[in-house]
Structures are given as C-alpha cells and as structure tokens.
Amino acid sequence: MGGGTMNGGDVHANTNTEASLKRSEVVIGRCGVPEVTLNSGHKMPMLATGTASFPFPPIEDLKKAILDAMEVGYRHFDSAALYQSEEGLGVAVAAALEKGLIKSRDELFITTKLWCNNTQPDRVLPAIQESLRKLKLDYVDLYLIHFPVRLKEDILDMTCKKDEIFPLDIKSVWEAMEEVHKLGLAKSIGVSNFTCKKLTDLLAHAKIPPAVNQVEMHPVWQQKKLRDFCKEKGIHVSAYSPLGAKEWGFDVVLGNELLNEIAQAKGKSVAQIALRWGHEQGVTLIPKSFNKGRLKQNFEIFDWQLTEEELQKIASIPQKRIATIPEFVFPDGPFKTFEEFWDGEM
Ligand code: A2P
C-alpha cells in the first residue's frame, strides 16, 4: 500500500463499500485508494489527509506532513481558508513536483473551503482567487461552503459576537459558487456542515447540485439520516473528524470500549476500526495526522473487512454529535440553540 504506481482503469473495489454505493461508482484508483465518481463526473479518492491543526503549525511542519502523506500514498488533501493551511499545502505540492513524488498536479485531488466572512455573492470569486494564489494552483478539485452561515467581513476564525453572525442567503451564494465552477476554478463544488433541511433549501435553487457534503461522522455520530438523504439526492458524504474530533481534544471514538474490544480481537488499532467502518458506509474519510507512522496506519484499511457482527455492534453505539459548534450559537443571536443551528438533527 505504499506510494507508487497508480492503478488506472475501472477495477471494481471488492469491499463492503459496494453495499453502500452503487457498484459502478467505486473503482480502485490512485495508489490503491478506492475512488468515487462524484455527480460532477470527477473522481475523488475516498481517503484524504486533513490539514486542520490548531494552533496553526509552521509552514515547514505542514509541508513535511503533506510530503510524508504523499510518500505513504495519499493523493487527496483537504484544506480551508479557516485552517490557514493553503500556503503550506501549496509549498508541499510544488516540492512534490520538484522531487518527482508526483509527475503532475492532476494526480492530486485538492479541496479547500470558502470561509464564512466571504459567503456573500460578490465575495466568492475573490475568495477562491486568494485561495488559489496561496495554493499556487490554477484550480481546486473541490470548493466547499464551510458552514451555512455568514460572518462579518473581518471575522477570519470562529470567534464571533452575536451581532457578527447572520443567516446565509444560500441562493445568491450558490449562484456565485456555480460561477466559480463555470470559470474552471473548481472542478466540483459542494458544502460542509449542511443538514437535510439546508440541503433541501439549496437543491430548490441549485442549477448545479452540490457534489459533496462534508460533515462530522464517526462511529459515535453516524449520520444515518443525513447519509440516506444524500444518497437519495446523489450527494457524496465526506467525513471530517472520522476519529471522533480527537484534534479538538475528544476521545469518544478512540476511547470507546466496544471499538477497543473489536480492535483488540482483530489485531487492528481503534483508529483503523473507526476508519474501516466509515469506508464500509461508503463515505470519504478525512483523518488528520502529521505523524508518518499514523498516516501509514490510517492508510492500511483497504485489504480487510469488518464482519456483519462487528458492524451490528458498531451500529448499536449510542449517538452524540461532538462538533456542536458553540461558537455560532447565542441565546439572542440568529441561531439561539444547538437544535436551531442543526435544524433538530442532533
Ligand atoms: P497526529 O497528527 O499527532 O497523528 P480527527 O481527524 O478525527 O480530528 O483526528 C485527528 C487527531 O487524531 C490528531 O490529533 C491526530 O494526531 C490523531 N490521530 C491521527 N491518526 C491517529 C491514529 N491512527 N491513532 C491515534 N491518533 C491518531
């Protein structure tokens, strides 16, 4: 499973994932990672390296982690204006080309996200142009609206006051996203942190449907309802925090007793069990690791399966959304409760 040759062609993945996605939608792709064909017609590797790390790491550390990931075989990288990781990713891509780790930028799948201070129609194009400048790229493979909210123009992170956050006018912002796609700056466009209700609103206006909805998903927050909805609408689900938001200091997944039991019995790590479970649900996984050993471990999930009994046990885990995003909820703001922010999908 190391970095190296690419398997082209339409070789069908022989995994339980086929049960979750139509057989024709998943093929073995770059470096042995299954790829899904998005509703835009573009293929996306179903395992990515996340680049969100707080406090922000020095560019050199980010570059090293991304080059390590490429050596392991990762070809899909997930960044965002919020994470301030675009510049480091751009430096790493340029270095990978120079070192010959990849022959062309087209071998990579690069995602970035529109921050909420730019979720106004006239700010979307300048925002992606700035992201592309930092990434040193002509296009991204996937551009996502990061959250379904608008923030005051000078808010660059999640710390806002109640009068600095507003509901999103999805119709006009999505039109601007569609324009970005038509200009060739993003091969696919999508959203992140959208509920079934917000997707329904979006689909009522969209000429181009979102290709992806990137949301929190792991064995402790399985997102069954949202996944069923997205499947019906042809929207692919990507899982952020697939290890249970460990990056934010939670250990609900890696510390889960049942997952630990399964891991021990199978001779796998708990992280591998969580990731393999996500893969078998047919979603794209975005674990973040800046450690080469763990990057490798997280990559080694495609040549074994969970049993029906193990899947049933995992299905019985009590459910809890971890990333509730308290930063955006104010008793006298536009989103008064978590239930309101997440449209009751808690
Ligand atoms: P590190 O970068 O030191 O590997 P999530 O993507 O769910 O937010 O989880 C990311 C966090 O989990 C990071 O803190 C990362 O730390 C850690 N991590 C990544 N892979 C593993 C693994 N295989 N085992 C344990 N921790 C991991």
Side-chain angles (χ1 to χ4, degrees):
M1 284 279 184
T5 50
M6 301 213 333
N7 278 326
D10 279 359
V11 183
H12 292 294
N14 182 22
T15 70
N16 285 351
T17 309
E18 285 172 11
S20 301
L21 288 172
K22 274 189 255 143
R23 191 175 165 79
S24 59
E25 284 173 343
V26 177
V27 299
I28 299 293
R30 307 161 217 199
C31 303
V33 174
E35 295 189 339
V36 61
T37 302
L38 301 174
N39 62 15
S40 58
H42 294 285
K43 287 193 169 66
M44 178 170 84
M46 294 176 77
L47 177 65
T49 299
T51 63
S53 186
F54 303 96
F56 301 126
I59 284 187
E60 274 310 303
D61 292 5
L62 198 53
K63 175 184 163 192
K64 181 179 181 310
I66 291 162
L67 290 175
D68 281 350
M70 282 193 209
E71 277 171 12
V72 171
Y74 292 83
R75 292 294 179 266
H76 178 174
F77 296 91
D78 183 81
S79 63
L82 173 70
Y83 312 154
Q84 296 194 16
S85 59
E86 291 163 326
E87 218 172 323
L89 178 52
V91 169
V93 171
L97 284 163
E98 206 178 291
K99 280 167 160 247
L101 255 176
I102 50 167
K103 289 197 181 64
S104 130
R105 177 264 178 265
D106 300 348
E107 290 172 33
L108 301 176
F109 190 102
I110 306 278
T111 300
T112 196
K113 310 186 191 88
L114 176 74
W115 185 236
C116 309
N117 67 327
N118 289 320
T119 50
Q120 294 182 61
D122 58 337
R123 294 176 66 88
V124 175
L125 180 59
I128 192 170
Q129 284 169 334
E130 177 61 6
S131 287
L132 290 171
R133 187 189 65 75
K134 288 183 175 159
L135 286 160
K136 300 191 232 306
L137 298 177
D138 300 328
Y139 70 90
V140 287
D141 295 276
L142 180 62
Y143 196 46
L144 304 177
I145 298 177
H146 206 144
F147 280 97
V149 302
R150 173 163 78 81
L151 295 178
K152 197 163 159 269
E153 288 79 356
D154 60 350
I155 306 290
L156 302 180
D157 58 20
M158 299 185 68
T159 48
C160 63
K161 301 195 191 84
K162 66 164 191 217
D163 53 357
E164 294 173 330
I165 182 166
F166 313 92
L168 182 69
D169 176 17
I170 189 60
K171 182 173 184 292
S172 62
V173 175
W174 191 252
E175 275 168 10
M177 293 288 285
E178 290 175 333
E179 196 49 39
V180 153
H181 171 70
K182 282 182 203 147
L183 289 170
L185 303 180
K187 300 249 182 207
S188 302
I189 50 175
V191 295
S192 182
N193 294 298
F194 272 48
T195 59
C196 298
K197 180 174 183 301
K198 295 208 169 66
L199 286 172
T200 304
D201 292 347
L202 168 53
L203 289 169
H205 301 295
K207 292 188 191 75
I208 302 170
V212 167
N213 185 19
Q214 187 187 117
V215 294
E216 177 192 357
M217 183 184 146
H218 44 72
V220 179
W221 186 238
Q222 302 187 5
Q223 295 273 22
K224 182 82 176 72
K225 177 181 166 195
L226 183 73
R227 282 191 283 125
D228 287 348
F229 179 88
C230 286
K231 192 173 177 186
E232 190 194 314
K233 304 293 180 193
I235 301 167
H236 183 72
V237 171
S238 292
Y240 74 71
S241 295
L243 304 177
K246 184 166 180 274
E247 188 61 25
W248 325 118
F250 296 94
D251 73 345
V252 291
V253 168
L254 299 190
N256 181 280
E257 211 171 302
L258 193 143
L259 294 174
N260 274 274
E261 277 166 25
I262 296 175
Q264 223 163 28
K266 253 186 141 58
K268 302 287 178 192
S269 73
V270 184
Q272 286 175 319
I273 299 295
L275 294 172
R276 178 70 206 182
W277 171 83
H279 179 60
E280 291 189 18
Q281 309 314 304
V283 305
T284 290
L285 301 154
I286 313 175
K288 173 259 162 187
S289 181
F290 287 180
N291 171 287
K292 197 165 187 185
R294 286 191 285 277
L295 279 163
K296 197 164 178 296
Q297 186 191 115
N298 298 346
F299 200 82
E300 289 169 353
I301 57 163
F302 298 116
D303 56 358
W304 52 277
Q305 294 189 13
L306 292 164
T307 64
E308 201 45 52
E309 196 191 339
E310 289 162 345
L311 288 169
Q312 271 172 22
K313 279 188 189 164
I314 296 174
S316 74
I317 293 176
Q319 294 298 289
K320 187 174 161 55
R321 186 190 284 279
I322 306 300
T324 51
I325 319 296
E327 293 89 339
F328 290 169
V329 173
F330 299 92
D332 46 357
F335 308 103
K336 294 180 177 43
T337 60
F338 293 128
E339 280 72 16
E340 193 176 336
F341 186 71
W342 294 108
D343 298 317
E345 296 170 24
M346 296 291 292

